[in-house]
Amino acid sequence: MIKNNYYFYPDFSKNSGLGHFFRCLKYSKLINNCNKFFLYKKNYDKKLKDILFKNKIKILKINKKNFFSLNKNNNILIIDTYKKGKNNFLNYKYFSKILIISDKKPIIQNSDIIIDHTYNRNPFFYKKEKNKGIKCYVGIFFFPFKKILKKKEKKNIILINFGGVEDINLIIKSLKIAVKLGYNKKILIISNNFSIKKIPKYCNYLNIKIVKFIENLDYIYAKTFLSFGASGISLYEKVSFEIPSITTFVARNQINNYRNFSKSNLIIKLNDSNKLNYNQLIKKIMLVKKNLNIFVKKIDHSKVSTILKNL
């Protein structure tokens, strides 16, 4: 039996950070008995190559010659980028199916399927696309949530991670709130921009560690008591680990999640946290924690894998 070839094309530019890359990686883990490739224009750096190698995923440069002799019937393209570009190979000439992972419009490419896991997305958002015959799977349960085995881990970390953005002011705001809470926890900051010199003097007594990159965040999430961050891909991961998160949005495509997660009391807004006193904030954290526990029980882990396997 001929195996299908799944080609993932994530955006991993400086502006977009690594969220698209890791989202594609999560989707790729849901399919087996196939060949997996990650496409690139600008080559992946060593740490990303190592991750792909560990997951038995090949990398392939975008080049017409690479696709010329392919058997169209076995090739499936999964696009996770906002860039239009002149990628002439991104058409039905080389692929039997095209799937787009989307969280905003305009859609950059004609496709057979759209997956949009934005929380509480308006059901009419893809009305035009549905009228064209495109299958649209919309809603948070189409995110590739990982099944989390509950272990009795000691929750001793406060995580601060806003992704690959200018985050210095956001980190300082987060530290100010951490001081207000007064938890005796380790504070782990993941940032390419922040340094020890930038830590405010009133935080000198805190147990703070700063790193630029962590490959296996699941290990950290399992030990995280409270998180500060953005409303992108990492927020879904924290939700699956039932981590109360104090968040903001750092890109326009995160606004919908930011608003709707907040309305459902599944996150706390960073700006609101500044205004709340100690007792109000503790009460809010406990409410979010309770709601996350209820929410996670509703996740159907089979939905996305079924879609990908049936392409």
Side-chain angles (χ1 to χ4, degrees):
M1 184 176 178
I2 299 174
K3 290 183 178 181
N4 284 336
N5 300 310
Y6 285 78
Y7 295 88
F8 292 85
Y9 182 35
D11 187 350
F12 63 102
S13 64
K14 187 176 180 181
N15 291 334
S16 61
L18 296 175
H20 298 270
F21 174 89
F22 283 106
R23 177 161 59 184
C24 280
L25 187 64
K26 287 179 183 298
Y27 278 109
S28 74
K29 289 179 179 180
L30 297 177
I31 45 177
N32 299 304
N33 300 318
C34 64
N35 301 311
K36 304 174 192 178
F37 301 84
F38 266 47
L39 304 175
Y40 70 91
K41 275 187 170 181
K42 180 184 176 184
N43 207 350
Y44 297 105
D45 63 27
K46 186 179 183 303
K47 64 177 181 282
L48 298 185
K49 283 182 178 179
D50 289 344
I51 291 169
L52 293 174
F53 178 77
K54 287 177 185 176
N55 286 279
K56 298 180 180 179
I57 298 172
K58 298 175 183 179
I59 61 173
L60 187 65
K61 187 172 184 179
I62 291 174
N63 187 324
K64 287 184 183 180
K65 292 180 181 178
N66 290 333
F67 297 91
F68 184 73
S69 61
L70 293 180
N71 181 351
K72 171 184 171 180
N73 295 329
N74 300 320
N75 296 323
I76 296 156
L77 177 66
I78 299 173
I79 305 171
D80 190 355
T81 178
Y82 305 135
K83 294 180 179 178
K84 289 185 179 180
K86 296 181 179 179
N87 304 320
N88 294 323
F89 75 97
L90 298 179
N91 57 47
Y92 292 100
K93 179 178 179 180
Y94 304 104
F95 301 96
S96 57
K97 292 283 178 68
I98 296 179
L99 183 153
I100 289 179
I101 303 167
S102 172
D103 51 24
K104 73 173 190 178
K105 288 189 177 182
I107 303 298
I108 65 162
Q109 172 73 35
N110 290 328
S111 67
D112 301 282
I113 296 170
I114 293 172
I115 290 179
D116 184 343
H117 53 67
T118 302
Y119 183 46
N120 281 354
R121 169 72 82 198
N122 187 314
F124 298 104
F125 190 74
Y126 292 104
K127 185 178 179 180
K128 289 182 180 178
E129 286 75 15
K130 288 179 180 178
N131 289 339
K132 291 179 182 178
I134 298 172
K135 291 181 181 178
C136 300
Y137 299 97
V138 181
I140 191 169
F141 296 125
F142 293 105
F143 182 81
F145 284 109
K146 181 180 178 181
K147 285 185 179 179
I148 308 301
L149 298 174
K150 288 194 174 183
K151 298 179 182 178
K152 290 185 178 180
E153 297 275 5
K154 188 177 180 181
K155 306 282 185 178
N156 62 349
I157 294 174
I158 293 176
L159 177 64
I160 303 177
N161 179 18
F162 290 92
V165 297
E166 292 296 327
D167 56 3
I168 294 172
N169 290 334
L170 294 171
I171 291 171
I172 291 172
K173 282 184 181 179
S174 302
L175 287 171
K176 192 174 180 180
I177 295 166
V179 168
K180 177 164 58 176
L181 287 167
Y183 290 126
N184 184 23
K185 306 284 183 184
K186 298 174 185 176
I187 297 178
L188 176 62
I189 300 172
I190 304 175
S191 171
N192 286 317
N193 308 305
F194 203 71
S195 65
I196 293 174
K197 292 180 180 179
K198 293 182 173 67
I199 297 174
K201 289 182 180 179
Y202 57 80
C203 297
N204 285 343
Y205 71 95
L206 296 175
N207 182 5
I208 299 175
K209 182 179 180 181
I210 304 169
V211 297
K212 291 185 180 295
F213 178 76
I214 293 178
E215 180 180 331
N216 183 13
L217 272 172
D218 285 358
Y219 174 78
I220 301 298
Y221 290 147
K223 296 175 179 289
T224 297
F225 173 80
L226 178 69
S227 172
F228 294 83
S231 304
I233 306 303
S234 62
L235 179 57
Y236 292 86
E237 296 167 344
K238 294 168 191 173
V239 165
S240 66
F241 277 88
E242 299 180 34
I243 301 169
S245 294
I246 297 175
T247 73
T248 187
F249 61 90
V250 297
R252 288 185 66 186
N253 64 307
Q254 296 181 5
I255 294 174
N256 201 87
N257 276 341
Y258 176 70
R259 288 173 178 165
N260 291 329
F261 273 107
S262 177
K263 285 178 183 177
S264 299
N265 283 312
L266 292 169
I267 63 167
I268 305 166
K269 291 181 178 179
L270 183 64
N271 288 338
D272 289 351
S273 299
N274 283 320
K275 301 168 188 175
L276 298 175
N277 62 36
Y278 171 81
N279 290 329
Q280 290 170 327
L281 192 50
I282 293 294
K283 188 177 179 181
K284 190 78 171 174
I285 290 170
M286 297 308 294
L287 174 62
V288 167
K289 195 168 184 178
K290 178 184 174 182
N291 290 342
L292 287 171
N293 182 260
I294 296 168
F295 179 83
V296 167
K297 289 175 182 176
K298 298 176 182 177
I299 296 174
D300 181 354
H301 295 275
S302 65
K303 276 190 174 184
V304 184
S305 57
T306 301
I307 294 166
L308 294 174
K309 289 171 185 175
N310 291 336
L311 284 172

Short mmCIF file of all heavy atoms in Angstrom, two decimals, residues 8-12 16-29 38 44-45 47-52 55 57 80 101 117 143-144 161 212-218 221 233-234 237:
data_model
loop_
_atom_site.label_atom_id
_atom_site.label_comp_id
_atom_site.label_asym_id
_atom_site.label_seq_id
_atom_site.Cartn_x
_atom_site.Cartn_y
_atom_site.Cartn_z
N PHE A 8 3.75 19.92 5.37
CA PHE A 8 3.36 21.03 6.24
C PHE A 8 4.17 22.27 5.88
O PHE A 8 5.40 22.19 5.74
CB PHE A 8 3.60 20.67 7.71
CG PHE A 8 2.71 19.59 8.23
CD1 PHE A 8 3.04 18.24 8.05
CD2 PHE A 8 1.54 19.89 8.90
CE1 PHE A 8 2.22 17.23 8.53
CE2 PHE A 8 0.71 18.89 9.39
CZ PHE A 8 1.05 17.56 9.20
N TYR A 9 3.46 23.38 5.73
CA TYR A 9 4.15 24.63 5.38
C TYR A 9 3.82 25.70 6.44
O TYR A 9 2.86 26.46 6.30
CB TYR A 9 3.72 25.09 3.99
CG TYR A 9 4.42 26.35 3.51
CD1 TYR A 9 5.74 26.61 3.83
CD2 TYR A 9 3.75 27.27 2.72
CE1 TYR A 9 6.38 27.75 3.39
CE2 TYR A 9 4.37 28.43 2.28
CZ TYR A 9 5.69 28.66 2.61
OH TYR A 9 6.31 29.80 2.18
N PRO A 10 4.62 25.75 7.52
CA PRO A 10 4.36 26.74 8.58
C PRO A 10 5.15 28.03 8.36
O PRO A 10 6.23 28.02 7.78
CB PRO A 10 4.88 26.02 9.83
CG PRO A 10 6.02 25.19 9.33
CD PRO A 10 5.67 24.79 7.90
N ASP A 11 4.58 29.11 8.85
CA ASP A 11 5.30 30.38 8.90
C ASP A 11 6.16 30.38 10.16
O ASP A 11 5.67 30.11 11.25
CB ASP A 11 4.29 31.53 8.95
CG ASP A 11 4.94 32.90 8.84
OD1 ASP A 11 6.18 32.98 8.91
OD2 ASP A 11 4.21 33.89 8.69
N PHE A 12 7.44 30.66 10.00
CA PHE A 12 8.29 30.75 11.20
C PHE A 12 9.20 31.98 11.11
O PHE A 12 10.35 31.98 11.50
CB PHE A 12 9.10 29.47 11.43
CG PHE A 12 10.10 29.15 10.35
CD1 PHE A 12 11.45 29.40 10.51
CD2 PHE A 12 9.68 28.57 9.17
CE1 PHE A 12 12.37 29.09 9.52
CE2 PHE A 12 10.59 28.25 8.17
CZ PHE A 12 11.94 28.52 8.35
N SER A 16 6.21 36.40 13.19
CA SER A 16 5.17 35.46 13.60
C SER A 16 5.61 34.54 14.73
O SER A 16 4.79 33.87 15.34
CB SER A 16 4.71 34.62 12.41
OG SER A 16 5.79 33.87 11.90
N GLY A 17 6.93 34.49 15.00
CA GLY A 17 7.42 33.62 16.05
C GLY A 17 7.36 32.15 15.65
O GLY A 17 7.34 31.82 14.46
N LEU A 18 7.30 31.27 16.64
CA LEU A 18 7.35 29.83 16.37
C LEU A 18 6.00 29.13 16.57
O LEU A 18 5.92 27.91 16.51
CB LEU A 18 8.41 29.18 17.28
CG LEU A 18 9.85 29.62 17.05
CD1 LEU A 18 10.76 28.99 18.09
CD2 LEU A 18 10.32 29.27 15.65
N GLY A 19 4.96 29.92 16.81
CA GLY A 19 3.64 29.33 17.07
C GLY A 19 3.14 28.47 15.93
O GLY A 19 2.59 27.38 16.14
N HIS A 20 3.32 28.95 14.68
CA HIS A 20 2.83 28.20 13.51
C HIS A 20 3.62 26.89 13.35
O HIS A 20 3.05 25.85 13.01
CB HIS A 20 2.99 29.04 12.24
CG HIS A 20 2.19 30.30 12.26
ND1 HIS A 20 0.89 30.37 11.80
CD2 HIS A 20 2.49 31.55 12.71
CE1 HIS A 20 0.43 31.61 11.95
NE2 HIS A 20 1.38 32.34 12.50
N PHE A 21 4.92 26.96 13.59
CA PHE A 21 5.77 25.77 13.49
C PHE A 21 5.29 24.69 14.46
O PHE A 21 5.08 23.54 14.08
CB PHE A 21 7.22 26.14 13.78
CG PHE A 21 8.16 24.97 13.83
CD1 PHE A 21 8.79 24.52 12.67
CD2 PHE A 21 8.42 24.31 15.02
CE1 PHE A 21 9.65 23.43 12.72
CE2 PHE A 21 9.27 23.22 15.07
CZ PHE A 21 9.89 22.78 13.92
N PHE A 22 5.11 25.08 15.72
CA PHE A 22 4.74 24.09 16.73
C PHE A 22 3.29 23.63 16.58
O PHE A 22 2.95 22.50 16.94
CB PHE A 22 4.99 24.65 18.13
CG PHE A 22 6.45 24.62 18.52
CD1 PHE A 22 7.20 25.78 18.56
CD2 PHE A 22 7.07 23.42 18.81
CE1 PHE A 22 8.54 25.74 18.89
CE2 PHE A 22 8.42 23.36 19.14
CZ PHE A 22 9.15 24.53 19.18
N ARG A 23 2.44 24.49 16.01
CA ARG A 23 1.07 24.06 15.73
C ARG A 23 1.09 22.96 14.67
O ARG A 23 0.42 21.94 14.82
CB ARG A 23 0.21 25.24 15.27
CG ARG A 23 -1.21 24.84 14.90
CD ARG A 23 -2.15 26.02 14.90
NE ARG A 23 -1.77 27.08 13.98
CZ ARG A 23 -2.42 28.24 13.87
NH1 ARG A 23 -3.47 28.48 14.64
NH2 ARG A 23 -2.03 29.16 13.01
N CYS A 24 1.86 23.16 13.60
CA CYS A 24 1.98 22.13 12.56
C CYS A 24 2.57 20.84 13.14
O CYS A 24 2.15 19.74 12.78
CB CYS A 24 2.85 22.64 11.41
SG CYS A 24 2.00 23.72 10.26
N LEU A 25 3.53 21.00 14.02
CA LEU A 25 4.14 19.83 14.66
C LEU A 25 3.10 19.03 15.44
O LEU A 25 3.06 17.80 15.38
CB LEU A 25 5.28 20.27 15.57
CG LEU A 25 6.13 19.15 16.20
CD1 LEU A 25 6.87 18.36 15.11
CD2 LEU A 25 7.12 19.73 17.20
N LYS A 26 2.22 19.74 16.15
CA LYS A 26 1.18 19.08 16.92
C LYS A 26 0.20 18.34 16.00
O LYS A 26 -0.20 17.21 16.29
CB LYS A 26 0.42 20.11 17.77
CG LYS A 26 1.21 20.62 18.96
CD LYS A 26 0.42 21.64 19.74
CE LYS A 26 1.24 22.19 20.89
NZ LYS A 26 1.62 21.14 21.87
N TYR A 27 -0.19 18.99 14.89
CA TYR A 27 -1.08 18.31 13.94
C TYR A 27 -0.39 17.09 13.33
O TYR A 27 -1.03 16.05 13.12
CB TYR A 27 -1.51 19.27 12.83
CG TYR A 27 -2.67 20.17 13.20
CD1 TYR A 27 -2.47 21.54 13.42
CD2 TYR A 27 -3.96 19.67 13.34
CE1 TYR A 27 -3.53 22.37 13.77
CE2 TYR A 27 -5.02 20.49 13.69
CZ TYR A 27 -4.80 21.84 13.91
OH TYR A 27 -5.84 22.65 14.26
N SER A 28 0.90 17.21 13.04
CA SER A 28 1.62 16.09 12.42
C SER A 28 1.66 14.86 13.32
O SER A 28 1.70 13.73 12.84
CB SER A 28 3.05 16.53 12.06
OG SER A 28 3.87 16.64 13.21
N LYS A 29 1.64 15.08 14.63
CA LYS A 29 1.71 13.96 15.57
C LYS A 29 0.41 13.16 15.63
O LYS A 29 0.38 12.07 16.21
CB LYS A 29 2.07 14.48 16.97
CG LYS A 29 3.51 14.96 17.08
CD LYS A 29 3.81 15.48 18.49
CE LYS A 29 5.25 15.95 18.60
NZ LYS A 29 5.57 16.46 19.96
N PHE A 38 8.30 18.93 6.31
CA PHE A 38 8.11 20.35 6.61
C PHE A 38 8.80 21.14 5.50
O PHE A 38 9.97 20.92 5.22
CB PHE A 38 8.69 20.72 7.97
CG PHE A 38 7.69 20.67 9.10
CD1 PHE A 38 6.84 19.59 9.25
CD2 PHE A 38 7.61 21.70 10.03
CE1 PHE A 38 5.92 19.53 10.28
CE2 PHE A 38 6.69 21.65 11.06
CZ PHE A 38 5.84 20.57 11.20
N TYR A 44 15.34 26.16 8.29
CA TYR A 44 15.12 26.09 9.73
C TYR A 44 16.46 26.15 10.46
O TYR A 44 17.47 25.61 9.97
CB TYR A 44 14.42 24.78 10.10
CG TYR A 44 13.04 24.64 9.50
CD1 TYR A 44 12.81 23.79 8.42
CD2 TYR A 44 11.97 25.34 10.03
CE1 TYR A 44 11.54 23.66 7.88
CE2 TYR A 44 10.70 25.21 9.50
CZ TYR A 44 10.49 24.37 8.42
OH TYR A 44 9.23 24.25 7.88
N ASP A 45 16.47 26.77 11.64
CA ASP A 45 17.72 26.77 12.40
C ASP A 45 17.91 25.41 13.05
O ASP A 45 17.03 24.54 13.02
CB ASP A 45 17.77 27.91 13.42
CG ASP A 45 16.70 27.81 14.49
OD1 ASP A 45 16.25 26.68 14.76
OD2 ASP A 45 16.31 28.85 15.05
N LYS A 47 18.00 24.16 16.11
CA LYS A 47 17.12 23.63 17.16
C LYS A 47 15.80 23.11 16.57
O LYS A 47 15.26 22.11 17.05
CB LYS A 47 16.87 24.66 18.25
CG LYS A 47 16.13 25.91 17.86
CD LYS A 47 15.89 26.81 19.08
CE LYS A 47 15.12 28.08 18.72
NZ LYS A 47 15.97 29.07 18.09
N LEU A 48 15.30 23.78 15.52
CA LEU A 48 14.06 23.32 14.88
C LEU A 48 14.31 22.06 14.05
O LEU A 48 13.48 21.15 14.03
CB LEU A 48 13.47 24.43 14.01
CG LEU A 48 13.07 25.72 14.73
CD1 LEU A 48 12.40 26.69 13.76
CD2 LEU A 48 12.15 25.45 15.91
N LYS A 49 15.45 22.02 13.39
CA LYS A 49 15.82 20.81 12.63
C LYS A 49 15.92 19.61 13.55
O LYS A 49 15.47 18.51 13.22
CB LYS A 49 17.16 21.02 11.91
CG LYS A 49 17.07 21.87 10.67
CD LYS A 49 18.45 21.96 10.02
CE LYS A 49 18.40 22.77 8.73
NZ LYS A 49 19.75 22.88 8.12
N ASP A 50 16.51 19.81 14.73
CA ASP A 50 16.66 18.72 15.69
C ASP A 50 15.30 18.21 16.15
O ASP A 50 15.10 16.99 16.31
CB ASP A 50 17.46 19.20 16.92
CG ASP A 50 18.94 19.41 16.60
OD1 ASP A 50 19.39 18.90 15.55
OD2 ASP A 50 19.62 20.09 17.39
N ILE A 51 14.35 19.13 16.36
CA ILE A 51 13.00 18.74 16.77
C ILE A 51 12.33 17.89 15.69
O ILE A 51 11.72 16.86 15.96
CB ILE A 51 12.14 19.99 17.09
CG1 ILE A 51 12.66 20.67 18.36
CG2 ILE A 51 10.67 19.62 17.26
CD1 ILE A 51 12.05 22.04 18.61
N LEU A 52 12.48 18.34 14.43
CA LEU A 52 11.88 17.59 13.32
C LEU A 52 12.52 16.22 13.17
O LEU A 52 11.83 15.22 12.93
CB LEU A 52 12.03 18.40 12.02
CG LEU A 52 11.23 19.70 11.95
CD1 LEU A 52 11.57 20.47 10.68
CD2 LEU A 52 9.73 19.44 12.03
N ASN A 55 11.26 13.74 15.58
CA ASN A 55 9.89 13.32 15.26
C ASN A 55 9.79 12.63 13.90
O ASN A 55 8.69 12.43 13.38
CB ASN A 55 8.95 14.53 15.31
CG ASN A 55 8.66 14.98 16.73
OD1 ASN A 55 7.81 14.41 17.40
ND2 ASN A 55 9.38 15.99 17.20
N ILE A 57 10.54 13.63 10.89
CA ILE A 57 9.97 14.48 9.84
C ILE A 57 11.10 15.02 8.97
O ILE A 57 12.08 15.56 9.48
CB ILE A 57 9.18 15.65 10.47
CG1 ILE A 57 8.00 15.12 11.30
CG2 ILE A 57 8.67 16.60 9.38
CD1 ILE A 57 7.29 16.18 12.11
N ASP A 80 0.04 26.66 6.99
CA ASP A 80 -0.17 27.43 8.22
C ASP A 80 0.69 28.70 8.16
O ASP A 80 1.67 28.85 8.87
CB ASP A 80 0.20 26.59 9.45
CG ASP A 80 -0.23 27.25 10.76
OD1 ASP A 80 -0.72 28.39 10.71
OD2 ASP A 80 -0.05 26.63 11.82
N ILE A 101 -4.82 25.83 7.79
CA ILE A 101 -5.05 26.13 9.20
C ILE A 101 -5.12 27.65 9.31
O ILE A 101 -4.16 28.35 9.01
CB ILE A 101 -3.92 25.58 10.09
CG1 ILE A 101 -3.78 24.06 9.88
CG2 ILE A 101 -4.18 25.90 11.56
CD1 ILE A 101 -2.52 23.48 10.46
N HIS A 117 -9.47 26.87 14.76
CA HIS A 117 -9.77 26.46 16.14
C HIS A 117 -9.98 27.66 17.08
O HIS A 117 -9.94 27.52 18.31
CB HIS A 117 -8.66 25.57 16.71
CG HIS A 117 -7.29 26.15 16.60
ND1 HIS A 117 -6.89 27.26 17.31
CD2 HIS A 117 -6.22 25.77 15.85
CE1 HIS A 117 -5.64 27.53 17.02
NE2 HIS A 117 -5.21 26.66 16.13
N PHE A 143 -8.54 22.15 17.65
CA PHE A 143 -7.13 22.33 17.98
C PHE A 143 -6.56 20.95 18.35
O PHE A 143 -7.26 20.13 18.96
CB PHE A 143 -6.97 23.29 19.17
CG PHE A 143 -5.53 23.55 19.55
CD1 PHE A 143 -4.78 24.47 18.84
CD2 PHE A 143 -4.92 22.85 20.59
CE1 PHE A 143 -3.46 24.71 19.16
CE2 PHE A 143 -3.59 23.08 20.92
CZ PHE A 143 -2.86 24.02 20.21
N PRO A 144 -5.30 20.68 18.01
CA PRO A 144 -4.71 19.36 18.32
C PRO A 144 -4.31 19.23 19.78
O PRO A 144 -3.13 19.14 20.12
CB PRO A 144 -3.49 19.30 17.39
CG PRO A 144 -3.08 20.72 17.22
CD PRO A 144 -4.37 21.51 17.20
N ASN A 161 5.81 34.00 29.64
CA ASN A 161 6.25 33.71 28.26
C ASN A 161 5.25 34.31 27.28
O ASN A 161 4.14 33.82 27.15
CB ASN A 161 6.37 32.20 28.06
CG ASN A 161 6.81 31.83 26.65
OD1 ASN A 161 7.33 32.67 25.91
ND2 ASN A 161 6.59 30.59 26.27
N LYS A 212 16.11 31.59 27.02
CA LYS A 212 15.69 32.06 25.69
C LYS A 212 14.76 31.06 25.00
O LYS A 212 13.91 31.45 24.21
CB LYS A 212 16.92 32.32 24.81
CG LYS A 212 17.74 33.53 25.25
CD LYS A 212 18.88 33.80 24.27
CE LYS A 212 19.71 35.00 24.70
NZ LYS A 212 18.93 36.25 24.68
N PHE A 213 14.95 29.77 25.28
CA PHE A 213 14.18 28.76 24.55
C PHE A 213 14.13 27.48 25.36
O PHE A 213 15.11 27.09 26.00
CB PHE A 213 14.84 28.48 23.20
CG PHE A 213 14.16 27.41 22.37
CD1 PHE A 213 12.98 27.69 21.70
CD2 PHE A 213 14.70 26.13 22.27
CE1 PHE A 213 12.34 26.71 20.94
CE2 PHE A 213 14.08 25.15 21.51
CZ PHE A 213 12.89 25.44 20.85
N ILE A 214 12.96 26.83 25.35
CA ILE A 214 12.81 25.51 25.95
C ILE A 214 12.10 24.62 24.95
O ILE A 214 11.00 24.96 24.48
CB ILE A 214 12.01 25.57 27.27
CG1 ILE A 214 12.81 26.34 28.34
CG2 ILE A 214 11.69 24.16 27.77
CD1 ILE A 214 12.09 26.49 29.66
N GLU A 215 12.71 23.50 24.61
CA GLU A 215 12.13 22.62 23.59
C GLU A 215 10.89 21.91 24.10
O GLU A 215 9.85 21.91 23.46
CB GLU A 215 13.17 21.59 23.14
CG GLU A 215 12.64 20.64 22.10
CD GLU A 215 13.67 19.61 21.67
OE1 GLU A 215 14.88 19.91 21.72
OE2 GLU A 215 13.26 18.50 21.29
N ASN A 216 10.98 21.32 25.29
CA ASN A 216 9.87 20.55 25.83
C ASN A 216 9.13 21.36 26.88
O ASN A 216 9.39 21.24 28.09
CB ASN A 216 10.38 19.23 26.43
CG ASN A 216 9.25 18.36 26.94
OD1 ASN A 216 8.07 18.61 26.65
ND2 ASN A 216 9.59 17.34 27.71
N LEU A 217 8.16 22.16 26.43
CA LEU A 217 7.40 22.98 27.37
C LEU A 217 6.39 22.15 28.17
O LEU A 217 5.95 22.58 29.24
CB LEU A 217 6.67 24.10 26.63
CG LEU A 217 7.48 25.39 26.43
CD1 LEU A 217 6.75 26.34 25.51
CD2 LEU A 217 7.77 26.07 27.76
N ASP A 218 6.03 20.98 27.68
CA ASP A 218 5.09 20.14 28.41
C ASP A 218 5.62 19.83 29.82
O ASP A 218 4.85 19.79 30.79
CB ASP A 218 4.85 18.82 27.66
CG ASP A 218 3.96 19.01 26.45
OD1 ASP A 218 3.51 20.15 26.22
OD2 ASP A 218 3.71 18.02 25.73
N TYR A 221 4.96 22.97 31.77
CA TYR A 221 3.53 23.15 32.02
C TYR A 221 3.04 22.25 33.16
O TYR A 221 2.19 22.64 33.95
CB TYR A 221 2.72 22.86 30.77
CG TYR A 221 2.87 23.87 29.66
CD1 TYR A 221 2.80 23.49 28.31
CD2 TYR A 221 3.07 25.22 29.93
CE1 TYR A 221 2.92 24.42 27.29
CE2 TYR A 221 3.20 26.15 28.92
CZ TYR A 221 3.13 25.75 27.60
OH TYR A 221 3.26 26.66 26.59
N ILE A 233 -1.14 30.28 20.30
CA ILE A 233 -1.10 28.83 20.37
C ILE A 233 -0.80 28.32 21.78
O ILE A 233 -1.40 27.36 22.26
CB ILE A 233 -0.03 28.27 19.40
CG1 ILE A 233 -0.26 28.80 17.98
CG2 ILE A 233 -0.04 26.75 19.40
CD1 ILE A 233 -1.60 28.51 17.43
N SER A 234 0.12 29.00 22.47
CA SER A 234 0.53 28.53 23.80
C SER A 234 -0.62 28.56 24.79
O SER A 234 -0.64 27.78 25.75
CB SER A 234 1.71 29.36 24.32
OG SER A 234 1.33 30.72 24.48
N GLU A 237 -2.38 25.29 24.88
CA GLU A 237 -1.59 24.28 25.60
C GLU A 237 -1.77 24.43 27.11
O GLU A 237 -1.92 23.45 27.83
CB GLU A 237 -0.12 24.42 25.21
CG GLU A 237 0.14 24.13 23.75
CD GLU A 237 1.52 24.56 23.29
OE1 GLU A 237 2.16 25.34 24.02
OE2 GLU A 237 1.95 24.12 22.21
#
